[in-house]
Amino acid sequence: MRRTAVITLALSATLGLAACGGGSDPMDTGGGGDDAGSSGDAGAGSITIGSANFPENELLAEIYAAALSDAGVEVDTQLNIGSREAYIAGIQDGSIDALPEYTGGLATYLNPEITATSSEDVLQDLQENLPDDLQVLEISEAEDKDSLVVTSETAEELDLTSIGDLADHAGDLTLGGPPEFETRPNGVDGLQEVYGLEFAGFRSLAAGANLTVQSLANGQVDVANIFTTNPAIEENDFVVLEDPESLFAAQNVVPLIRADAVNPTIEEALNEVSAALNTENLTSMMVQVQTEGQDPAEVAREFVDENL
């Protein structure tokens, strides 16, 4: 299965910004990441944890922060930075030291021609293409994949069970997703190349936000890119279309960290988080955050207290 190289220039530009000290300008909730690995309580060091701009990633970042703090690490957070294009620049220019990532998304970002789909193969490809100044720690069982979702009414009306079933209808349908989905190889371009889908239009929506769910539910979009752990899928009786061609590769949650920020205390704490996380408990926590409106930091603290 082929993949387009549509984001190669974007990656080059991002890395160029990083080399120049550019990148995102996230809200700083504490000190910067320049002191990562410096001496702290019992040599535990200090670290700045970042997150992408959607609720699940913020929750995971809070879990990392809580676990590291319990291990005696001095922790600052810079949350809701933006898309991968923004936070990769931030981690490479030292604005942040670590953040929760997803193996398939990061691997595709680094290697647009990736064909691996299994957790093991995706991780291997990721490790082979990761810049020398970055590393990933142990992956978790927790997986949150991109998916294409339709309402149950649309699925029944058009007889849809898999992404390929959209081929005869896409020209009459509007696709909704985060802005970067329009240009990433597993987004609009990948859907056209792998499944032959040409949608009538694309509507840019905030990643992981309720706006995507609302837009699908009220008919502003006909098909939406929604993460599989989003509780709104079950709550709204949405239908996740099967992906037989594996356009969306394995997406295991994994800590991404600057190589010069790692020490044994930090590595052990983050690996313990990965060992405790699975798709079921991550989905349950997302119900607390997105459906019940609980504070991600409080949900994270409860998880750490109960599992680590």
Side-chain angles (χ1 to χ4, degrees):
M1 179 176 63
R2 297 184 298 117
R3 292 287 190 273
T4 62
V6 68
I7 63 168
T8 301
L9 291 177
L11 174 58
S12 298
T14 298
L15 296 181
L17 282 172
C20 296
S24 60
D25 183 23
M27 180 179 66
D28 189 351
T29 59
D34 294 336
D35 294 330
S38 62
S39 60
D41 293 344
S46 63
I47 194 168
T48 299
I49 302 293
S51 83
N53 59 337
F54 56 93
E56 180 184 279
N57 205 254
E58 180 180 350
L59 168 67
L60 289 166
E62 293 282 15
I63 292 173
Y64 287 2
L68 288 165
S69 180
D70 285 357
V73 179
E74 181 182 345
V75 181
D76 291 323
T77 57
Q78 291 187 14
L79 306 180
N80 200 33
I81 293 171
S83 67
R84 184 170 287 112
E85 288 77 4
Y87 62 68
I88 288 295
I91 198 170
Q92 288 209 308
D93 70 18
S95 301
I96 56 175
D97 300 310
L99 76 161
E101 254 289 9
Y102 303 86
T103 53
L106 182 57
T108 302
Y109 179 83
L110 296 170
N111 175 24
E113 302 300 325
I114 186 175
T115 58
T117 57
S118 70
S119 293
E120 296 79 6
D121 291 343
V122 169
L123 178 61
Q124 180 178 346
D125 191 282
L126 169 58
Q127 291 172 327
E128 290 174 353
N129 290 283
L130 203 61
D132 291 340
D133 58 342
L134 302 178
Q135 69 180 80
V136 291
L137 302 181
E138 293 182 9
I139 66 172
S140 72
E141 292 182 10
E143 189 175 11
D144 184 5
K145 299 180 69 171
D146 286 283
S147 68
L148 285 194
V149 177
V150 296
T151 63
S152 56
E153 293 79 8
T154 297
E156 182 176 358
E157 178 184 352
L158 302 182
D159 193 23
L160 304 176
T161 58
S162 73
I163 295 175
D165 294 337
L166 288 165
D168 293 334
H169 310 285
D172 298 319
L173 304 176
T174 298
L175 172 66
E180 58 271 17
F181 194 73
E182 190 170 12
T183 56
R184 286 183 177 169
N186 64 344
V188 172
D189 292 324
L191 289 168
Q192 181 175 356
E193 181 175 350
V194 176
Y195 286 104
L197 305 184
E198 295 190 28
F199 288 92
F202 176 82
R203 181 167 184 173
S204 178
L205 302 165
N210 289 332
L211 178 61
T212 304
V213 173
Q214 294 168 358
S215 296
L216 181 62
N218 65 24
Q220 291 179 302
V221 299
D222 305 294
V223 184
N225 169 227
I226 298 178
F227 301 128
T228 53
T229 58
N230 192 320
I233 293 176
E234 181 175 349
E235 293 167 359
N236 291 273
D237 196 27
F238 290 157
V239 176
V240 176
L241 299 179
E242 298 173 5
D243 179 22
E245 299 298 327
S246 298
L247 174 63
F248 305 124
Q251 295 279 18
N252 297 89
V253 175
V254 64
L256 174 68
I257 189 167
R258 291 171 54 85
D260 61 6
V262 179
N263 66 36
T265 301
I266 290 172
E267 183 172 4
E268 181 180 359
L270 292 179
N271 284 343
E272 286 180 355
V273 171
S274 291
L277 279 171
N278 57 51
T279 303
E280 182 179 0
N281 59 35
L282 179 56
T283 302
S284 177
M285 285 187 283
M286 287 307 298
V287 171
Q288 294 176 268
V289 171
Q290 288 197 287
T291 304
E292 300 173 4
Q294 296 187 36
D295 183 352
E298 294 180 1
V299 175
R301 169 46 62 191
E302 182 179 358
F303 174 81
V304 170
D305 288 346
E306 292 181 353
N307 294 276
L308 300 182

